[in-house]
Amino acid sequence: MLSVVVLPQSCVWYGECGVASGDKRYNCAYDGPPIALPKDGYDLLQELCPGLYFGNVSTCCDVLQLQTLKNNLQLPLQFLSRCPSCFYNLINLFCELTCSPNQSEFLNVTSTIPYYDPVSKENKSSITELQYFIGESFANAMYNACKDVEAPSSNVKALGLLCGKEVKDCNATNWIEYMFSKDNGQTPFSIIPIFSDVPVHGMNPMNNATKGCNESVDDSTGPCSCQDCSIVCGPKPQPPPLPAPWLLFGLDAIYVIMWISYMGFLLIFFMFVFGIWCYRRRHFVSEYTPIDSNIAFSVNSHRDDGKITCGERLGERFENGLRMTFTSWGAFCVRNPRPVILFSVVFIAMCCSGFVYIKATTNPVDLWSAPSSQARKEKEYFDKHFGPFFRTEQLIIQAPNSQPDIYSPYPSGADVPFGPPLTKEILHQVLDLQDAIVNITASFDNETVTLKDICLAPLAPYNNNCTILSVLNYFQNSHSVLDHTVGDEFFVYADYHTHFLYCVRAPASLNDTSMLHDPCLGTFGGPVFPWLVLGGYDADNYNNATALVITLPVNNYYNDSRKLMKALAWEKEFINFLKNYRNPNLTISFSAERSIEDEINRESNSDVSTVLISYIVMFVYISIALGHIRSWGRLLVDSKISLGIAGILIVLSSVACSIGIFSFFGIPLTLIVIEVIPFLVLAIGVDNIFIIVQTLQRDERLEGETLDKQIGRVLGDVAPSMFLSSFSETVAFFLGTLSTMPAVRTFSLFAGMAVLIDFILQVTCFVSLLGLDIKRQERNRLDILCCIKGSEETSGVQRSESILFLFFKNLYSPYLLEDWMRPIVIALFVGLLSFSTAVMHNVEIGLDQSLSMPHDSYVMDYLSQLNKYLHTGPPVYFVLEEGHNYTSLEGQNMVCGGMGCNNDSLVQQIFSAAEISSYTRIGYAPSSWIDDYFDWVKPQSSCCRVYNTTGQFCNASVTDPSCTRCRPLTQEGKQRPQGQDFMKFLPMFLSDNPNPKCGKGGHAAYSSAVNFINNKTDVGATYFSTYHTVLKTSSDFIDAMKKARTIADNITETMGIKGKNYRVFPYSVFYVFYEQYLTIVDDAIFNLCVSLGSIFLVTTVLLGFEVWAAVMVSITIAMIIVNMFGVMWLWGISLNAVSLVNLVMSCGIAVEFCSHVTRAFTVSTKGSRVERAEEALSHVGSSVFSGITLTKFGGIVVLAFSKSQIFQIFYFRMYLAMVLLGATHGLIFLPVLLSYIGPSVNKAKTHAAQERSRHTERERLLYF
C-alpha cells in the first residue's frame, strides 16, 4: 500500500486520469494547492456546491469532475430532493469529497496506479483507493434527515433504493459505505469511510454543519414535509381503541338481559297460570269433579242477549259480503267451466307473450348494486374519467418438490435462504409457463386473438410490452438475464440472487448497482412490487417466499362488446390451457376474470336436475295426497292426479305470467327470481288447493243442493281465507319494491304479481276444473283416462274425512290444548324467541365468494390459495373530482406530500392512514403523481428538458447540445411551477418514459391518473393510488370500504371543499358489490317491518276489522322472522341479499301458516277460546300441514343433495327452517296463544251463522 502524505490547505486530487470501467474514470493524484476554477464551471459549481462559490473560486476539482459529480447525483437527486435538507446534507458530503480546497484534512490516498496522459504527454498517478474521514455526528444527522423520505411511485422509502439493504437494516454507516463501495456499480474506485468525531491518524474528519429535516435550507425553501420527516408531524398516529364490549357480569349484555327477561316472564306467567287454576278450583268445580277446561275457563262464553257492537256488525257484513261474492262466483265457475277455462288460457297466453322481450341480468354489478347507489355512481365516474378497471388473470404457483436454496453473498455476509419457488431451475420452468401463456391464441369471429391484442400496455405505442406482474419481470422475462452471472473460476460475485435481493428493495430501479447492472423495472415500463408477485413470506423477507403470483391485467371494454368478446375468447383459452397444463414440479391455482361467472353458470346447469327432482317429488306428493281413496276398486276414480297436475300447472302459469308481464315492460329477470319464486308460489298455491279440495271432501251436500251451489258454498267459506293470505302477501311483496337493493326489489316485484295471478287463477280456472273433476267422479270415470268407467259403482261423491284430518281432530288438537300442555308450549316458544333475540346481533353480514362456487371448481382451490399466500389487498384509488385548482400554490399544498405541502394534505392523510394499516386497512403510502412531477421538473434534475429550437420535449436519454433545462437554475426556477408553467410541463411528464438518467418519467406510472380538460389547458379529475391490506372475509372488505370512505370524507373536509361541487372519494373494484352490506341491516329492518305492517293492515280489513286477531297474526309472523335469525346464527348463514330475499319470502309463507288458523278462529261460534282454537286447528290444521309442510318438506330434502354450496346453505337450510318454524308456530304456538288471548267471539257473526244453519238437517258447523 502506498501512503501519500499531504500538507494542509492542499488537494489530494485534481482532474480525471484513465478509465476505471465503462464510462467511469479515476481521479488524478495531486498534492498541490487548490486551483482556480475556469469560468465555464461557475454555473455548475453554483448549482451543485454553492458553499464553495466564494473568493477566487479555487477548488480541487475541474469542470469535468463537476460534470461527473452532477451525473452521479442524478439518481439521489430524483429521490431525495423532495426533502431539501436531506439533499443539502448529501450534496455537502459529495462536494467536500470532490472539490473542497481543504481535502487533505479529511482525505487520505492509500493506493494509486501510474497513468500516462496522452494529451499533456505527462506521467501521472490515478487514485484507486482512498480514505474519507467523516464526522460521526455528520453521518448520523445526514441519515436522520433522509431516513423517512418517500419514493412516491414505488410506495417505499427512498433509502430502500439507495442503501443496498432493506430500509429497516439501513443506518448511517452502511448507507455511506454502500454509496462509496466500488461494488455498487456507480463508484469508479474504492472510497473507505472512517467515522469519528475526533481527529484520528492526524486527520480532521469532515464535520460540516447539517440541516435537520425539520429545518429550512434557505429562505426560499421550507422544512421537509410530514410524509418525509416524522419529526415535523410529531408522533405516529395511533388507531382509536376498539369499542369496549357491552358486558354484564362478564357476559354479553344482550345474553344476560334476554336470560333475565325470560326468567321474569316464566315467573309471572306460571304464577298467573297457577293463580287461575286455584281460582277455578275454588269457584267453578267441586273437588270431586274433574276439571274440564272447555267449561271451567269459558271466559267469553257468548250469550244471545249480549249487545252487538257497531264494529262487530261491520265485521259481519264485510265477512258476509266476501262470503256471498265468492259463493256466487264459485257457482258461476262450476256452471260455466269451458268459458272460464278458455278465458284463463287466453289470459295466460297473453301474459306469456311477453317472453319475447325477456332479458336476464347476469352482470353482478346490476344484480347487487342499485344504479342510484353511491358506489355505482363512483364506479361510473371512475370508468368515465380513467377507463374501466382492468380484467385480471392470475396464477398462484408453488414448487412442492423443491427444497429451499441457500445463497452465500460475496465477499462476505450472512447466508440468505431462498424459498422453494425461487430456485433458478423452478424460475426457468415458471418462465417457460409464462411464455406459453403469452403465446396463447384464441379465435373470435375468424380473427386470431393474442394477449398483446387485449393486454394492458401502459407505454404503448412506444413500448407494446404487456404488463405482466411477475417476479420474472425483474429479469426482463428473459432466460439469459436470469442466467446472467459475474465471477471467476473461484467465486460468483453476483447472480440472480443478488439481482432479486436488490429489486425487491428498488423495483423501479433501472440499474441494480451490483456488478450485473441489470434493470429491475418491468419490460412494460413500470415497477413490479414484491408484495404483488410473491406469497407466503414472513415480514418483509421476500426471499422466503413459498409461492409466486403472476398477474396479467387485461383491458376491460364495457362499451365495446366486440373487444370484450375478444378478451372473453382469450380468457377461455387461458383457462383451458391451464386446466390441461402438467408439470410435476409446479402446483398451479388460477383464475380468470370470467371464471366466477362461468362456474356459477356451470353450477346452475348442474343444479337444474336437483331442482327438477325437488319439484317432481312435490308434484307426485300433491297428486297423490289430494285424492281420498276409499277402496282399491275406486283407486283410479277417487284419485286426483289430473286435478293435482292442473293445480300445479296453474301455480307455474302464474309465475310465467308474472315474468311475461314484467318482461314486456323491460324489467330484466334475475337468477334469484327463477330459483326462488316457483318455490314460494308453489307453497302458497298448493296450500290453497289443499284447503279447497279437502274442505269439499269433508263437506256433505245439502238436500236439494246442486254441485255448483255446493262448490260455491264451500268456496264462500274458504275463499275469504285464501284471499286474506294471498292479498296480504301480494301487498307485502309489492311494498318490498321500495327496497334499494336490486335483488330484493326484483324478487318482490315478480313475487307479488305471481301470488296475485295465482289467486285469481285458483278462484276461476281451478274451481271450474274442480267442478269437472267432481262430475267425473260422480259418473264413476277414471282419473286421467276419463273416457273409461270404473268397475265399482257408487251413488255420487260421498263425504269423506282423511286420516290426517281425523288425527288433527281427535288426537292432536285436544292434546295440544290440554291445560297442562299449553303453558309448556308458551314457555318453550318464548324461550326460543329469547334465544333468537339474544344471538341475532351475532349473525354475520356478507357473502363468502367461495360459497357461490361448486365443490369441485378450480376456483375454490384458487380462492383458498389466495387467502393463504396473498400479502396485499385490492388497489384503491383516492379520486379528486374535477374542479380543483392545481396551478395555484394553495391548491398544490392541499394535495401534495412533499416539502411545503400541508400536514393534512390529501397525500399526507393517506400516508398517515397507511401508518396504522391494521386499523385503516390502507396498506401502503400512495403513489403521488404531483410529487413525482415536482421532482421531475426541478432544474437541478436532468429529467425536464426541451429543444431550444422547437420547444418540444427532450428525453433525458437524448444527448443533444440543443436540449436545455425546462426551468432556469434560479431561486424562482427552483420553486414549484405554477399557473401556465404547471400546465406547460405536465403533459411532458406524463409522456416521459423512465430511463437510467431519469427514473421519474410519469408515462407508465401515471398516464391514466390525470384527466386533462379544456384541450389540455387544465387538470380535471385525478387519482392517487395505493393498496388495501390483505382482505379475506366479507367483514374485512366491508370494513376496508367504510374506513376508506371515512378517510376520503375527512380529506374533503380538511381541504375545505365540502360545500363545493367536487370532493374526494375512494374507489376499488369490490366496493360496488360490498356497499349493500353497509346498509343491509337497515334494509332488512325496513323490508321486514314494511312486510309485517302491510300484513297487519290487510289482515285487519279482511278479517272483518278484527284488529286483535291481526295483532295475533303479526306477533306470530314476527316471532318466526326473529327465530329465522336464530337459525341463521346457529347454522352459519350470513345476512346478504340472498338471505334477505328468503326472509322476505318467509314473511309470505308465514302468512299461509297463520292466517287460515286465525280466520277459522274468528269465525268459529264455539263458546270458549279453547274450543274455538280446537275447532280452528282441527278443520284447517290438516290442510295447512299437508298443503305446505309435507309438500315443501319433500322438495326441500332433495335440495340437500345439491352440488352448489349456495343452494345447500341459503336454500336447503333456510327453506327447511322456514317450513319447520312456520309449521310449529302456525300449528302449535298460534292455537295456544289464541286459546289464551285470542279475540272475543263476534256476536254478529254467531247470530248470522245460526241463521244460515237454521232449517237444515243438522246444526252444521262451519268447515274451513
Side-chain angles (χ1 to χ4, degrees), residues 424 479-486 494-496 515-516 518:
K424 188 186 282 191
H479 286 285
S480 59
V481 176
L482 185 56
D483 285 331
H484 188 192
T485 49
V486 173
D495 65 357
Y496 85 96
M515 294 184 180
L516 297 171
D518 290 327

Side-chain angles (χ1 to χ4, degrees), residues 186-208:
Q186 301 295 316
T187 309
F189 52 88
S190 293
I191 300 170
I192 301 163
I194 295 171
F195 301 97
S196 173
D197 277 337
V198 294
V200 57
H201 304 309
M203 308 295 285
N204 291 317
M206 190 283 291
N207 220 343
N208 285 10

Side-chain angles (χ1 to χ4, degrees), residues 22-241:
D23 59 348
K24 297 174 183 63
R25 300 177 67 84
Y26 293 122
N27 286 343
C28 303
Y30 167 72
D31 57 3
I35 299 170
L37 184 71
K39 291 249 171 89
D40 58 353
Y42 280 15
D43 285 348
L44 265 179
L45 188 69
Q46 242 185 320
E47 176 189 338
L48 298 172
C49 310
L52 300 178
Y53 189 76
F54 60 87
N56 65 349
V57 195
S58 295
T59 63
C60 292
C61 60
D62 63 9
V63 179
L64 273 177
Q65 283 176 291
L66 277 173
Q67 191 60 55
T68 301
L69 175 63
K70 180 177 179 178
N71 293 340
N72 289 341
L73 284 173
Q74 280 308 303
L75 193 65
L77 172 78
Q78 289 161 33
F79 290 103
L80 298 178
S81 62
R82 54 184 279 118
C83 177
S85 45
C86 160
F87 191 66
Y88 169 84
N89 296 335
L90 180 78
I91 211 160
N92 228 324
L93 177 75
F94 282 97
C95 283
E96 290 297 318
L97 168 71
T98 309
C99 296
S100 170
N102 302 314
Q103 271 181 340
S104 58
E105 289 185 19
F106 45 80
L107 292 183
N108 179 34
V109 176
T110 55
S111 176
T112 61
I113 56 170
Y115 169 72
Y116 175 74
D117 187 345
V119 178
S120 64
K121 311 267 196 233
E122 292 177 24
N123 287 314
K124 296 181 179 179
S125 295
S126 298
I127 295 173
T128 56
E129 185 182 273
L130 88 160
Q131 295 170 329
Y132 188 178
F133 291 82
I134 303 168
E136 201 166 339
S137 52
F138 176 91
N140 289 328
M142 183 178 85
Y143 170 75
N144 289 332
C146 295
K147 67 181 179 182
D148 294 326
V149 179
E150 286 286 317
S153 64
S154 302
N155 298 97
V156 293
K157 300 290 184 193
L159 283 194
L161 312 177
L162 304 169
C163 193
K165 290 181 181 297
E166 291 283 348
V167 174
K168 65 180 190 305
D169 298 326
C170 187
N171 56 40
T173 308
N174 57 30
W175 176 30
I176 293 173
E177 282 173 349
Y178 178 75
M179 286 194 291
F180 289 149
S181 168
K182 192 177 172 185
D183 296 332
N184 68 17
Q186 301 295 316
T187 309
F189 52 88
S190 293
I191 300 170
I192 301 163
I194 295 171
F195 301 97
S196 173
D197 277 337
V198 294
V200 57
H201 304 309
M203 308 295 285
N204 291 317
M206 190 283 291
N207 220 343
N208 285 10
T210 56
K211 297 284 186 183
C213 61
N214 58 342
E215 296 178 89
S216 301
V217 173
D218 52 43
D219 296 337
S220 63
T221 59
C224 304
S225 72
C226 175
Q227 190 176 344
D228 298 319
C229 179
S230 54
I231 313 170
V232 171
C233 43
K236 182 179 174 181
Q238 295 298 315

Side-chain angles (χ1 to χ4, degrees), residues 777-929:
Q777 201 174 348
E778 287 177 342
R779 290 171 189 161
N780 201 35
R781 295 188 179 275
L782 299 187
D783 193 14
I784 303 175
L785 305 169
C786 49
C787 301
I788 304 169
K789 277 204 168 191
S791 57
E792 198 176 304
E793 289 287 341
T794 63
S795 56
V797 176
Q798 296 174 354
R799 175 174 175 268
S800 63
E801 293 178 339
S802 67
I803 296 168
L804 193 60
F805 172 76
L806 293 171
F807 167 75
F808 265 79
K809 183 180 179 184
N810 299 327
L811 285 175
Y812 176 71
S813 302
Y815 184 75
L816 176 69
L817 295 165
E818 288 279 0
D819 275 1
W820 62 270
M821 177 60 82
R822 292 187 296 150
I824 294 172
V825 168
I826 294 292
L828 286 174
F829 277 83
V830 173
L832 182 62
L833 177 69
S834 301
F835 169 78
S836 298
T837 308
V839 300
M840 66 190 295
H841 69 287
N842 291 328
V843 172
E844 287 193 12
I845 291 173
L847 176 61
D848 186 353
Q849 205 172 33
S850 63
L851 292 181
S852 58
M853 296 291 103
H855 284 298
D856 58 350
S857 171
Y858 67 91
V859 180
M860 285 288 286
D861 178 47
Y862 166 76
L863 292 173
S864 164
Q865 301 302 326
L866 196 67
N867 286 341
K868 186 176 177 183
Y869 289 113
L870 222 63
H871 278 258
T872 190
V876 55
Y877 303 88
F878 285 86
V879 178
L880 179 50
E881 291 180 347
E882 184 179 315
H884 188 69
N885 181 10
Y886 294 89
T887 60
S888 72
L889 189 64
E890 183 188 11
Q892 292 169 1
N893 288 343
M894 286 182 187
V895 176
C896 64
M899 184 265 296
C901 304
N902 298 348
N903 280 356
D904 58 0
S905 69
L906 182 151
V907 169
Q908 182 56 46
Q909 286 199 52
I910 303 170
F911 173 79
S912 300
E915 294 276 277
I916 45 173
S917 58
S918 58
Y919 173 73
T920 61
R921 299 190 186 273
I922 300 294
Y924 304 93
S927 294
S928 168
W929 64 267

Side-chain angles (χ1 to χ4, degrees), residues 917-982:
S917 58
S918 58
Y919 173 73
T920 61
R921 299 190 186 273
I922 300 294
Y924 304 93
S927 294
S928 168
W929 64 267
I930 195 165
D931 289 298
D932 274 341
Y933 171 52
F934 290 152
D935 291 341
W936 178 88
V937 82
K938 281 177 180 168
Q940 303 97 309
S941 158
S942 61
C943 291
C944 186
R945 304 189 305 161
V946 291
Y947 291 102
N948 58 13
T949 50
T950 62
Q952 295 295 307
F953 175 62
C954 172
N955 187 280
S957 59
V958 175
T959 307
D960 189 324
S962 65
C963 288
T964 57
R965 57 172 69 98
C966 297
R967 311 192 74 220
L969 198 63
T970 60
Q971 284 303 325
E972 187 183 343
K974 290 178 183 178
Q975 301 299 313
R976 290 194 222 133
Q978 294 171 40
Q980 288 184 346
D981 259 11
F982 183 90

